[in-house]
């Protein structure tokens, strides 16, 4: 929490009085499988007129499964991510956009660097698409029980394709996600690649455009590791799907 407060203060000082394109988002994510995990989130982002953007996201994770707490399988954790990037627009109506991005993430047991690039295109007034390729790797990864992990673990490529449709005060988004492990590690589907899907809907108040509410449903891959066959976790073949609700305030 102290890191979040410090980051917000630094961002405010850097941006000065130019906080005209800033957004504060409060989120809550809940994993549907056994209802075992809640993830409250707080995000701040600001985009300057010259195209540069920066922000942070603070995430807390609380495990609600008694068996997991007893075995120490998934303890309460936190994530703190500093985000920055740049967007360049062009075209008759600025329908094209492209730019790089860079994130630095600190978790309970890892420090991660994420870098990538994106391209977006507004097809019509109400329909647009955006593609992003992002590479990530662990700079430092610790085991909560046995010491230091091999730093080679955690290298991954992630590809996102967003399709967005706007209708009056509503915005609907579909995100197709493809992940590829670049090391010997595997995903929960016991493979080096995985597909995921996210569907979200956002409603912006027509008479108070600074306020918006949204909901998101995340479809994960099947859990096919041998560890999911244990008696404490009868999850084999299930999907670790999640729902997320949020409130956005733009100023």
């Amino acid at each position: 929490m102290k890191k979040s407060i410090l980051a917000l203060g630094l961002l405010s000082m850097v941006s000065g009085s130019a906080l005209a394109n800033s957004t504060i988002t409060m989120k809550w994510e809940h994993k549907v499988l056994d209802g075992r995990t809640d993830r409250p989130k707080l995000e701040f982002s600001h985009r300057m007129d010259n195209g540069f953007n920066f922000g942070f996201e603070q995430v807390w994770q609380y495990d609600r499964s008694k068996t997991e707490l007893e075995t120490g399988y998934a303890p309460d954790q936190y994530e703190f991510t500093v985000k920055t990037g740049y967007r360049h627009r062009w075209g008759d109506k600025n329908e094209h956009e492209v730019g790089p991005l860079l994130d630095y993430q600190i978790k309970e047991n890892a420090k991660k660097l994420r870098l990538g690039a994106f391209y977006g295109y507004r097809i019509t007034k109400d329909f647009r698409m955006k593609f992003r390729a992002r590479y990530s790797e662990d700079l430092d990864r610790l085991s909560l029980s046995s010491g230091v992990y091999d730093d080679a673990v955690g290298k991954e490529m992630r590809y996102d394709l967003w399709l967005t449709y706007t209708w009056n005060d509503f915005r609907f988004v579909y995100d197709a996600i493809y992940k590829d492990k670049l090391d010997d590690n595997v995903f929960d589907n016991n493979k080096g690649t995985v597909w995921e899907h996210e569907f979200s809907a956002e409603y912006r108040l027509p008479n108070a455009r600074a306020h918006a509410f949204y909901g998101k449903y995340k479809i994960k891959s099947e859990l096919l590791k041998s560890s999911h066959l244990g008696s404490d976790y009868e999850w084999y073949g299930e999907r670790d799907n999640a729902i997320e609700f949020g409130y956005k305030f733009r100023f």
Side-chain angles (χ1 to χ4, degrees):
M1 186 64 184
K2 292 181 179 179
K3 293 177 180 178
S4 299
I5 297 174
L6 176 60
L8 182 58
L10 291 175
L11 294 177
S12 299
M13 288 188 292
V14 171
S15 57
S17 61
L19 290 174
N21 298 306
S22 300
T23 304
I24 293 178
T25 308
M26 292 178 286
K27 313 174 186 179
W28 175 74
E29 179 184 318
H30 178 72
K31 292 193 175 182
V32 179
L33 185 60
D34 288 348
R36 71 185 192 282
T37 303
D38 291 317
R39 288 166 56 86
K41 306 175 183 181
L42 174 65
E43 182 177 9
F44 170 83
S45 63
H46 173 65
R47 184 176 298 279
M48 294 182 286
D49 293 337
N50 58 12
F52 285 96
N53 66 280
F54 51 85
F56 74 88
E57 182 179 43
Q58 174 75 59
V59 180
W60 299 267
Q61 177 168 303
Y62 300 99
D63 198 294
R64 302 305 185 192
S65 169
K66 182 178 179 181
T67 54
E68 287 194 2
L69 291 175
E70 289 174 345
T71 59
Y73 181 77
D76 296 346
Q77 299 183 23
Y78 72 89
E79 298 175 10
F80 178 72
T81 306
V82 178
K83 305 179 181 183
T84 186
Y86 174 75
R87 181 181 68 185
H88 171 68
R89 284 179 164 179
W90 78 94
D92 294 337
K93 298 181 179 179
N94 284 331
E95 63 269 25
H96 300 274
E97 62 177 10
V98 67
L101 57 90
L102 175 66
D103 299 345
Y104 179 69
Q105 184 179 77
I106 300 173
K107 293 186 176 183
E108 188 80 20
N109 62 340
K111 296 178 181 178
K112 185 182 292 288
L113 182 69
R114 306 188 300 196
L115 65 155
F118 68 88
Y119 167 76
Y121 176 65
R122 188 172 67 249
I123 302 172
T124 68
K125 176 184 176 182
D126 300 319
F127 184 62
R128 65 180 61 196
M129 58 80 65
K130 181 178 178 181
F131 174 77
R132 181 187 69 184
R134 187 179 72 188
Y135 169 79
S136 65
E137 72 169 85
D138 293 331
L139 301 178
D140 186 18
R141 191 161 183 255
L142 301 176
S143 168
L144 297 180
S145 59
S146 60
V148 179
Y149 280 125
D150 186 351
D151 286 342
V153 175
K155 295 182 179 180
E156 174 186 299
M157 282 297 303
R158 168 170 169 157
Y159 305 93
D160 289 78
L161 175 63
W162 289 277
L163 301 176
T164 302
Y165 178 72
T166 303
W167 178 65
N168 294 332
D169 299 313
F170 291 90
R171 187 176 67 169
F172 304 94
V173 182
Y174 166 62
D175 182 11
I177 304 167
Y178 181 75
K179 297 179 181 178
D180 183 10
K181 286 288 187 183
L182 303 180
D183 50 41
D184 295 332
N185 200 12
V186 294
F187 293 102
D188 285 337
N189 65 349
N190 212 29
K191 298 180 181 179
T193 60
V194 65
W195 277 98
E196 296 180 354
H197 307 272
E198 296 183 359
F199 301 87
S200 63
E202 178 180 307
Y203 176 68
R204 187 162 298 280
L205 299 184
N207 297 320
R209 305 297 294 174
H211 305 274
F213 300 87
Y214 78 92
K216 180 182 292 186
Y217 187 69
K218 303 179 180 182
I219 300 178
K220 304 294 185 178
S221 64
E222 291 183 313
L223 302 174
L224 300 177
K225 286 185 177 180
S226 57
S227 59
H228 300 131
L229 289 169
S231 59
D232 290 335
Y233 318 108
E234 297 179 357
W235 301 336
Y236 191 84
E238 301 288 342
R239 295 179 182 271
D240 196 18
N241 296 343
I243 56 175
E244 182 177 289
F245 298 98
Y247 161 74
K248 297 180 180 180
F249 175 66
R250 294 180 180 176
F251 58 97

